Amino acid sequence: MNSKVLLGIVFLALAATAAAQTERCEEITIPMCRGIGYNFTSMPNKFHHDTQDEAGLEVHQFWPLVEIHCSDDLLFFLCSLYVPICIEDYQGQLPACYSVCNRARAGCAPIMHKYGFVWPERMNCEDFPRYGDQERLCMDAKEGAGPENSEYSTKQETKPVRRPPSYRGRNSKSRDRHESVASGGGTGHLPGQVTPSGVDDECTCECRFPMVPLVDAADRKVYNAVTTGGVLHCARPCRGTFFNKEEQTFATFWIGLWAIICCVSASMTVLTFLIDPSRFRYPERPIIFLSGCYLMVSIGYLVRLGLGHDAVACDGQIIRYHTTGRPPASCTIVFLLVYFFGMASSLWWVILTLTWLLAAGLKWGNEAIAGYSQYFHLAAWLVPTGKSIAVLAMGAVDGDPVAGVCSVGNQNVDHLRWFVIFPLCAYLLLGTSFLLAGFVSLFRIRKVIRQQARAKADKLEKLMIRIGVFSVLYTVPATITIACYIYEQHYRERWDRRHNCPCEADSTNRPDYSLFMLKYFMCLVVGTTTGFWITSVKTLESWRRRLCSRGGRGNRGGPGSVLSQRTGTPGVGDGLYGPRTFKPLSPASHVGHVPSSCKQVPLSHV
């Protein structure tokens, strides 16, 4: 009995919570429905849209009918359906009256009928309350006035029409609602982009879901150059057009995973260099700077992971375009971290291969190569700086709908070619040329050294193997990344064209999801492979000495204090004139006091 009472209380509480959430008022954000006579609405609406974004995608399809002013009541009638009025102290529904629907239908249905379309069944005027009904309240600013076109009759709508065009894209709840905008013979596309009855409307080029039509005049002014798939004023959505929710979620996980791995590996490489800088001399020092660049690139992806996809790469419901002017701070920071340091890493790769050529082919020493280090830094940082400034000056920064980062060339193929593909190809070709020339010189030196000393030849062979493995670990990902960019720039317009014009031939249906995941993986894996160069016993020894030295300074019982007490030298805790006792110290007793994990410090160094 008690359990039944408890379940009843829980049920009532959940019902009350659901009712409170349903009746919560929120300000209208759909541009089309602002200033219609009320400012607040509550979701979901009668068409089961959970958010205003979903409702806005559907109601904006009727914008061409509103623009031609077929009825003065159409805009108010549509908005009362998709963003119904919400009054804090009134719990019931307050729809538009039958007379409002009738006037809107009388003005616009003849135009729709002219092009082979009927008034949507879901907007049947008989379902709305009459003006003056005391039991069912409704809204009508004209107090129940009839239509001006009294000759219109619903019998005109009996003409059969074609089936609405189907969306040839991903499956989603929002897409189903988008297609059902005119159930019962309506159309799933913009009513203003109708087709004469003699033409198959499924073959028309139009802004198809999930593409976002730019219906607001202000948006058209800002995005005046946006044309997607051959349709003007058609923008890509915030998320990927061709990938479903599960694929987008996995993309976020995949990119975040490799960004973390790259960040950890590159951090270890940079920290190892800071611990023992003298160990990494030219020609291998550029590897450290290359690793530092990838550290910053991975941080850029992690910043995007922390801020979120929408906050970085999106501008409301659509992806961020290069035509919107200066991007926000979050987008600019991610762009600089990803693009600037990504290009700088490619230049450090070229400098690395150049220094190897100088050392192997021209027999330059470490000091001779280091003498030109300032020129290396000037080239590695100045060229990416110039390109980044040019991109920002041109307003070419845009959003990536898959990765959610800001970069260049994500929405403009020309920018992708000039700022990404061509520079990467030039860097890879130049670096590979230096690398091959260096290998040829190393093979020649190997033959000479093998005749003189076998030990030196073995060391040279190990160096050649390390250089060869690292070069493969860089050139293969870099080549694959460039190939993915070329694939994307070649087919991007075809994907959009196929989406908006489904009947056109010789077009690729949708992009290959695996190639996009491969591209992001290859963009980050090089930062992970830089740890290969520092993977050695010397690295472990450097870290062990560093950790032991920090422990010795912080612990009075460490090796330094033991030696100072044994030899009479003032220790950390002794004063300048403290007691001094000199006691002979045998090697055996000395070793017993030094921790086994740390290297014995010579007495001459104390």
Side-chain angles (χ1 to χ4, degrees):
M1 183 63 180
N2 293 334
S3 61
K4 293 182 178 180
V5 173
L6 182 60
L7 289 176
I9 294 175
V10 172
F11 176 78
L12 292 175
L14 292 176
T17 302
Q21 292 177 350
T22 303
E23 298 169 0
R24 185 181 68 251
C25 293
E26 57 185 66
E27 188 174 359
I28 296 177
T29 58
I30 300 177
M32 177 177 168
C33 293
R34 290 178 178 174
I36 59 172
Y38 58 90
N39 300 321
F40 292 92
T41 184
S42 62
M43 305 300 286
N45 56 22
K46 66 175 299 183
F47 301 135
H48 307 291
H49 295 136
D50 296 325
T51 63
Q52 293 191 54
D53 291 339
E54 295 180 9
L57 288 175
E58 189 169 304
V59 71
H60 274 147
Q61 298 173 85
F62 294 94
W63 178 256
L65 286 177
V66 176
E67 281 285 274
I68 63 176
H69 300 288
C70 59
S71 173
D72 295 336
D73 298 279
L74 179 62
L75 179 60
F76 178 79
F77 174 67
L78 292 173
C79 293
S80 67
L81 294 176
Y82 288 93
V83 281
I85 187 173
C86 180
I87 303 176
E88 293 290 347
D89 298 331
Y90 182 74
Q91 302 299 329
Q93 297 181 354
L94 195 61
C97 295
Y98 165 83
S99 54
V100 177
C101 176
N102 196 27
R103 292 194 299 268
R105 181 179 61 179
C108 299
I111 298 177
M112 298 174 63
H113 176 74
K114 179 180 178 181
Y115 292 99
F117 299 94
V118 299
W119 187 257
E121 183 64 27
R122 67 194 303 184
M123 299 180 186
N124 186 9
C125 296
E126 301 299 331
D127 297 335
F128 294 89
R130 305 279 177 164
Y131 181 79
D133 192 340
Q134 299 297 327
E135 296 181 359
R136 299 176 61 192
L137 299 180
C138 61
M139 299 183 294
D140 186 0
K142 298 181 180 180
E143 299 180 352
E148 297 179 0
N149 184 13
S150 58
E151 298 179 357
Y152 172 75
S153 174
T154 56
K155 293 181 180 180
Q156 298 175 0
E157 298 185 15
T158 58
K159 177 182 177 180
V161 294
R162 298 169 304 278
R163 183 179 178 182
S166 59
Y167 169 71
R168 300 166 181 255
R170 60 182 183 183
N171 295 321
S172 68
K173 183 178 179 182
S174 300
R175 188 211 73 203
D176 296 336
R177 293 169 181 168
H178 179 90
E179 290 181 344
S180 62
V181 60
S183 60
T187 172
H189 54 269
L190 287 172
Q193 295 177 331
V194 293
T195 308
S197 57
V199 181
D200 187 1
D201 60 350
E202 199 166 315
C203 294
T204 58
C205 293
E206 57 194 11
C207 194
R208 299 175 183 267
F209 184 83
M211 299 291 185
V212 182
L214 302 175
V215 297
D216 189 82
D219 288 341
R220 291 191 176 190
K221 183 178 180 180
V222 175
Y223 301 96
N224 54 1
V226 173
T227 300
T228 305
V231 179
L232 185 62
H233 303 313
C234 183
R236 295 184 180 91
C238 176
R239 303 280 176 169
T241 306
F242 305 97
F243 302 138
N244 57 35
K245 186 176 182 180
E246 290 74 16
E247 291 172 332
Q248 294 172 5
T249 302
F250 178 78
T252 302
F253 166 77
W254 180 257
I255 296 172
L257 173 65
W258 285 105
I260 294 174
I261 295 176
C262 177
C263 183
V264 172
S265 177
S267 299
M268 293 298 298
T269 304
V270 174
L271 289 176
T272 302
F273 168 74
L274 296 177
I275 289 175
D276 190 5
S278 60
R279 176 185 162 194
F280 300 94
R281 298 182 295 177
Y282 286 96
E284 60 182 355
R285 178 164 289 190
I287 296 179
I288 304 302
F289 302 114
L290 186 147
S291 181
C293 291
Y294 274 97
L295 173 62
M296 303 307 294
V297 171
S298 64
I299 291 176
Y301 281 98
L302 294 178
V303 170
R304 170 260 173 266
L305 193 65
L307 297 179
H309 184 111
D310 298 349
V312 176
C314 299
D315 186 9
Q317 298 179 7
I318 67 176
I319 196 66
R320 191 173 302 282
Y321 277 85
H322 61 278
T323 58
T324 57
R326 187 172 58 183
S330 59
C331 180
T332 304
I333 291 174
V334 172
F335 160 73
L336 292 176
L337 289 173
V338 174
Y339 180 76
F340 173 81
F341 287 101
M343 290 297 161
S345 67
S346 298
L347 280 168
W348 277 114
W349 153 253
V350 175
I351 294 172
L352 175 65
T353 56
L354 175 62
T355 54
W356 274 336
L357 175 62
L358 294 176
L362 302 180
K363 311 300 187 298
W364 285 33
N366 299 331
E367 295 78 6
I369 299 176
Y372 291 87
S373 60
Q374 64 270 23
Y375 300 105
F376 297 153
H377 283 276
L378 186 64
W381 302 121
L382 187 60
V383 174
T385 300
K387 292 197 298 182
S388 299
I389 293 175
V391 171
L392 292 173
M394 295 174 59
V397 179
D398 50 21
D400 187 342
V402 180
V405 299
C406 281
S407 187
V408 58
N410 297 293
Q411 308 303 326
N412 189 300
V413 177
D414 293 333
H415 292 166
L416 179 63
R417 295 190 185 108
W418 289 103
F419 288 106
V420 179
I421 296 179
F422 291 160
L424 289 180
C425 290
Y427 300 152
L428 182 62
L429 182 62
L430 188 61
T432 304
S433 301
F434 291 152
L435 184 67
L436 293 178
F439 268 119
V440 172
S441 300
L442 284 176
F443 275 108
R444 292 177 180 176
I445 296 174
R446 176 175 174 270
K447 292 182 180 180
V448 176
I449 295 180
R450 183 177 288 275
Q451 298 174 357
Q452 299 177 356
R454 177 66 185 176
K456 294 183 178 180
D458 293 338
K459 291 182 179 180
L460 182 62
E461 288 178 356
K462 291 181 180 180
L463 176 63
M464 292 173 62
I465 292 174
R466 293 184 68 189
I467 294 175
V469 172
F470 184 79
S471 62
V472 170
L473 292 178
Y474 181 89
T475 55
V476 171
T479 305
I480 295 177
T481 301
I482 294 174
C484 291
Y485 279 126
I486 295 176
Y487 164 78
E488 183 179 354
Q489 66 89 26
H490 182 70
Y491 287 104
R492 181 188 294 172
E493 294 182 356
R494 299 187 183 184
W495 297 329
D496 296 336
R497 187 75 179 177
R498 175 66 176 173
H499 178 81
N500 288 338
C501 307
C503 293
E504 290 192 2
D506 299 331
S507 295
T508 305
N509 189 19
R510 72 189 299 266
D512 192 339
Y513 177 76
S514 59
L515 289 181
F516 277 82
M517 297 300 100
L518 180 63
K519 180 185 73 172
Y520 298 121
F521 167 70
M522 291 300 172
C523 288
L524 293 168
V525 72
V526 177
T528 304
T529 58
T530 54
F532 161 79
W533 193 261
I534 66 167
T535 303
S536 64
V537 179
K538 292 182 180 180
T539 300
L540 298 178
E541 183 67 17
S542 299
W543 278 94
R544 190 186 64 82
R545 288 200 306 266
R546 179 66 176 176
L547 295 177
C548 290
S549 63
R550 291 179 62 88
R553 286 195 300 267
N555 186 4
R556 290 186 58 183
S561 61
V562 172
L563 290 175
S564 62
Q565 291 175 8
R566 294 288 184 178
T567 60
T569 305
V572 176
D574 296 335
L576 182 61
Y577 300 99
R580 301 183 180 182
T581 57
F582 297 88
K583 181 179 179 180
L585 184 64
S586 63
S589 61
H590 173 70
V591 172
H593 289 278
V594 178
S596 59
S597 60
C598 298
K599 186 177 179 180
Q600 180 176 347
V601 180
L603 293 178
S604 60
H605 291 186
V606 179

